[in-house]
Amino acid sequence: MRKVFRSLLIASLLTVPTIRAEILELPAGDPAATLDVPSRGMSQAAVARRYGEPLRRHAPVGGGSPQQPPITRWDYDGWSVFYENNTVVDVVVKDAPAPVHNVDALRAAP
């Protein structure tokens, strides 16, 4: 019995694991680049002038120290703007995948 167990153990260790790969389909560009949305660095006043009043203004979060400035979010129809203090730091388009960075580093499957 011991020999059978040892043989099965050795056989299982010597088998080659199956390698599997999938094709990754990348979205065509940044969705925020195709929409007219605020750009990084705009002020809250400039955003309000250009895009009007948001559907909802969220209260600032954080701001307890210079390393953690207050972050504010304004929601528009289909996208949200995030501010650090009074400056746009990001725009998030709803139901859109996050942009993929370093696409040039990806290689096609052989």
Side-chain angles (χ1 to χ4, degrees):
M1 183 69 161
R2 196 174 209 175
K3 288 182 181 182
V4 171
F5 177 72
R6 189 179 304 159
S7 297
L8 288 174
L9 178 63
I10 291 172
S12 68
L13 292 175
L14 293 177
T15 58
V16 178
T18 303
I19 297 174
R20 211 180 124 184
E22 294 183 24
I23 295 175
L24 175 65
E25 303 250 351
L26 299 176
D30 182 7
T34 60
L35 293 175
D36 181 26
V37 294
S39 58
R40 176 175 259 168
M42 287 179 75
S43 68
Q44 287 181 340
V47 172
R49 273 193 310 274
R50 181 163 177 177
Y51 300 97
E53 281 299 308
L55 299 174
R56 182 170 181 205
R57 291 181 188 225
H58 296 268
V61 176
S65 70
Q67 292 81 17
Q68 297 176 342
I71 303 295
T72 307
R73 182 175 101 202
W74 289 5
D75 292 332
Y76 286 87
D77 188 24
W79 47 276
S80 297
V81 184
F82 292 84
Y83 300 93
E84 182 178 294
N85 293 313
N86 186 36
T87 306
V88 173
V89 291
D90 200 7
V91 174
V92 175
V93 178
K94 294 177 182 157
D95 299 325
V100 178
H101 301 285
N102 301 322
V103 176
D104 297 334
L106 299 174
R107 290 180 276 130

